[in-house]
Amino acid sequence: MAKNTLLLYGRMFITMLISLYTSRVVLKALGVEDYGIYNVVGGVVSMFSMLSSSMIVSTQRFISYELGRSEENKLNKIFCTSINIHALISVIIVLLLETIGLWFLYYKLVIPTERISCAFWVFQISILTTIISFTSFPYNAIIIAHERMSIFALMSILETVLKLGIAISLSNINNYDILLVYSIMIASVQLLMRFLYSQYCNKNFKEASYHLIFDKALFKDMLGFAGWNMFASSATVLSNQGTNILLNMFFGPVVNAARGIAVQVQNTLTQFSSSFQTALNPQIVKLYAANEEDKMKTLVLKSCKFTYILLFIISLPLLVETKTILQVWLGDIPDYTIIFVRIMIVTIIVEMTARPLTMAVEATKKIRNYKIITSGVMLMVLPISYVTLKTGMDAHIVLLIQLFLSVISYFFRLHITQRLILISLSLFMKKVCIPCLLITIPSFSISFGIHLYLPSSFYHVFIVIIIAIFVSITSSFLWGLDANERCFIFNKLKKI
């Protein structure tokens, strides 16, 4: 797990740096208005595409479970069944996008008249890109379930580098619509990655060979599991992209550009914590399948705590020096970007530290009530946001509502997890909440205090960032880790 985590963090750091620079290049090449159009049009597609992305979770869970039980006979059936379900969902998604999606595009989104034709073709290309991505999900799931994180990391780095190459090449496009060309090239990258994933899996995993098969019981089991995950994914997408559409309706595409930048930061932090969790998730399921529930509980608690620690260390400098970092990254900062970024950083910390609880529940396969309750809470962001915006509130209130509902959802997650895998609330407070508070309070107080105390200068931001990282790491080591974890780190440092 440690080896896989390091591989995924190496992947994350490389892709994060490239992605951040790519965003700057794309924003400059497209301009604020076209960047906002691409963000909001792509958001409409994402509202539907995330319905299918939950299948990767389903496929990975079923494969990991059979690997934990050492049952290899069902692996090919699981893979073929996942392909069949993806094909079915793809047809449904295309129908929805070409009807409801187009209606949204023409009648609800605020897009300049002269750009509506381009937005239509960007929308169609985004649908194609999404379908290509769908067909890669079963292969991704097999690689993760088998814990081949080196291949997963290399593929991700290659995809990010190709997207950077596309961004740089935009400056050389003169006779064509840059936004349209950018969409076509992104679709081409997805097609190439789909080919590479399938070739690797076909050569290395015997269960990755597709043939037409229909196991009614397995199909129903996987579709039911995926169905509840799709319900949860749709709630997440509606709360995220629905707010994006609301902001477009009330404030126009410039605010969408600000939110798009904030989402880029949010996605980068998500990748950071997902790198750690991706390495642990198969182990959580395998331990449950092997009836080693005590080890699974320990792993879940440690995963929650370490996810928070790792996210907090990288997020603290961003929270304290948001304005300066955005100026260095983007140059010109669209309105609302600073407040959007700060709120979304806190939101993603809350949501990602709850992910290990979700994986523990999914290992049991008893996910119906969990998904209904947590998704219902998150869907409340749309009616509440609409009412508040109607009363004349500012744009950032939408993101504050989303943060508040994420906290409420966290309490429900704890309660349900407590009943299913018997992790007591007192144990969670002792092992996760109290250490995280002991890290946060002194680290934030010292970092923000120094930020206010030091006079503005060229070196100000570097000093504050270094101090923020140092105090957060020190606090994590002193108060976030227990004696065994500190001893483990000391021993590893001695070997190094």
Side-chain angles (χ1 to χ4, degrees):
M1 285 187 292
K3 178 183 176 182
N4 286 334
T5 301
L6 288 174
L7 285 169
L8 291 172
Y9 272 129
R11 157 195 174 267
M12 184 278 304
F13 276 116
I14 294 171
T15 56
M16 178 181 68
L17 292 174
I18 296 174
S19 296
L20 290 175
Y21 181 70
T22 301
S23 296
R24 176 191 175 108
V25 175
V26 172
L27 177 62
K28 184 177 180 180
L30 297 181
V32 172
E33 187 174 85
D34 271 6
Y35 187 83
I37 291 172
Y38 185 80
N39 179 261
V40 74
V41 170
V44 174
V45 177
S46 297
M47 287 180 65
F48 296 96
S49 67
M50 283 295 291
L51 297 176
S52 179
S53 67
S54 58
M55 267 306 299
I56 191 173
V57 177
S58 177
T59 306
Q60 179 191 326
R61 185 267 171 202
F62 277 83
I63 292 175
S64 296
Y65 189 84
E66 297 303 328
L67 289 172
R69 295 177 61 200
S70 299
E71 293 282 346
E72 297 184 0
N73 297 330
K74 290 183 65 176
L75 292 177
N76 182 251
K77 284 186 177 181
I78 292 171
F79 175 77
C80 294
T81 302
S82 71
I83 293 287
N84 294 337
I85 295 174
H86 269 88
L88 175 63
I89 295 173
S90 296
V91 173
I92 296 171
I93 296 301
V94 170
L95 291 175
L96 290 172
L97 285 170
E98 294 292 1
T99 53
I100 299 173
L102 281 177
W103 175 77
F104 253 101
L105 176 68
Y106 280 109
Y107 297 103
K108 291 298 178 181
L109 297 185
V110 179
I111 297 173
T113 306
E114 66 275 11
R115 300 300 290 156
I116 194 67
S117 176
C118 178
F120 169 80
W121 288 111
V122 169
F123 183 78
Q124 298 298 325
I125 296 166
S126 297
I127 294 174
L128 176 62
T129 305
T130 300
I131 298 303
I132 294 170
S133 298
F134 287 176
T135 59
S136 297
F137 291 157
Y139 298 100
N140 295 355
I142 287 179
I143 292 173
I144 294 171
H146 282 276
E147 302 182 62
R148 299 287 183 90
M149 302 307 176
S150 58
I151 298 301
F152 188 68
L154 287 172
M155 292 287 196
S156 300
I157 292 170
L158 174 61
E159 182 178 354
T160 308
V161 170
L162 290 173
K163 289 180 178 179
L164 173 61
I166 289 172
I168 294 173
S169 68
L170 293 177
S171 60
N172 298 319
I173 299 171
N174 297 317
N175 299 324
Y176 300 95
D177 191 301
I178 296 178
L179 179 56
L180 188 59
V181 172
Y182 177 68
S183 302
I184 293 172
M185 290 195 289
I186 291 295
S188 301
V189 169
Q190 290 299 326
L191 184 61
L192 175 63
M193 298 310 300
R194 163 67 175 83
F195 173 77
L196 294 176
Y197 273 117
S198 62
Q199 288 299 303
Y200 176 82
C201 290
N202 289 334
K203 291 181 179 179
N204 290 275
F205 308 119
K206 59 183 179 181
E207 69 267 20
S209 59
Y210 177 77
H211 56 277
L212 188 60
I213 186 174
F214 184 74
D215 186 319
K216 183 177 179 180
L218 181 60
F219 185 90
K220 183 179 178 181
D221 202 16
M222 289 186 68
L223 187 61
F225 186 89
W228 290 114
N229 271 311
M230 287 177 200
F231 177 76
S233 295
S234 65
T236 301
V237 172
L238 284 172
S239 64
N240 289 332
Q241 299 300 336
T243 55
N244 201 26
I245 292 171
L246 283 176
L247 290 172
N248 178 267
M249 292 168 62
F250 282 90
F251 300 98
V254 174
V255 173
N256 289 122
R259 187 183 179 279
I261 294 165
V263 168
Q264 180 68 36
V265 175
Q266 184 187 45
N267 290 341
T268 301
L269 293 175
T270 300
Q271 291 176 14
F272 184 85
S273 58
S274 293
S275 299
F276 174 67
Q277 292 175 358
T278 300
L280 267 64
N281 288 344
Q283 286 293 323
I284 292 174
V285 178
K286 291 174 183 177
L287 288 172
Y288 181 82
N291 293 319
E292 298 187 63
E293 294 188 15
D294 288 338
K295 288 184 179 179
M296 184 194 76
K297 294 174 189 176
T298 300
L299 187 58
V300 169
L301 292 171
K302 287 183 181 294
S303 183
C304 289
K305 182 176 71 173
F306 289 140
T307 296
Y308 180 87
I309 290 173
L310 293 169
L311 266 179
F312 181 74
I313 290 172
I314 194 172
S315 298
L316 183 58
L318 294 174
L319 286 168
V320 176
E321 290 290 346
T322 311
K323 182 177 180 180
T324 306
I325 292 172
L326 288 176
Q327 285 176 336
V328 173
W329 172 27
L330 300 172
D332 295 329
I333 305 175
D335 294 339
Y336 293 101
T337 304
I338 295 173
I339 186 66
F340 279 12
V341 167
R342 283 175 170 161
I343 296 172
M344 293 187 86
I345 287 174
V346 178
T347 303
I348 202 61
I349 291 175
V350 173
E351 292 179 354
M352 293 308 297
T353 52
R355 288 280 181 90
L357 300 176
T358 302
M359 181 51 61
V361 173
E362 289 177 350
T364 69
K365 211 164 67 173
K366 300 173 182 177
I367 63 173
R368 185 188 64 179
N369 292 340
Y370 182 87
K371 299 295 183 181
I372 290 174
I373 294 172
T374 55
S375 300
V377 172
M378 294 310 299
L379 282 172
M380 290 301 296
V381 69
L382 294 179
I384 296 174
S385 297
Y386 182 79
V387 171
T388 53
L389 291 177
K390 271 289 189 181
T391 61
M393 298 290 285
D394 212 345
H396 70 274
I397 190 65
V398 174
L399 278 72
L400 287 174
I401 293 168
Q402 199 167 20
L403 171 59
F404 174 75
L405 291 175
S406 295
V407 174
I408 298 298
S409 179
Y410 204 122
F411 286 106
F412 283 109
R413 294 173 197 268
L414 279 174
H415 176 69
I416 297 171
T417 308
Q418 180 183 357
R419 290 193 297 106
L420 288 177
I421 61 173
L422 304 178
I423 294 180
S424 67
L425 184 59
S426 60
L427 182 63
F428 189 86
M429 293 291 292
K430 179 182 177 182
K431 295 292 185 180
V432 180
C433 295
I434 293 175
C436 290
L437 280 174
L438 292 175
I439 294 167
T440 304
I441 296 172
S443 299
F444 186 80
S445 300
I446 293 171
S447 301
F448 194 70
I450 292 173
H451 166 76
L452 294 176
Y453 176 76
L454 288 178
S456 297
S457 67
F458 178 76
Y459 301 103
H460 171 99
V461 64
F462 298 103
I463 295 172
V464 173
I465 288 175
I466 291 170
I467 291 174
I469 294 173
F470 176 77
V471 296
S472 58
I473 292 175
T474 303
S475 299
S476 299
F477 188 80
L478 293 176
W479 300 301
L481 306 182
D482 60 32
N484 291 331
E485 292 161 351
R486 285 194 292 269
C487 183
F488 174 82
I489 291 176
F490 272 129
N491 290 334
K492 289 297 179 183
L493 289 175
K494 286 179 181 179
K495 289 181 181 180
I496 293 172

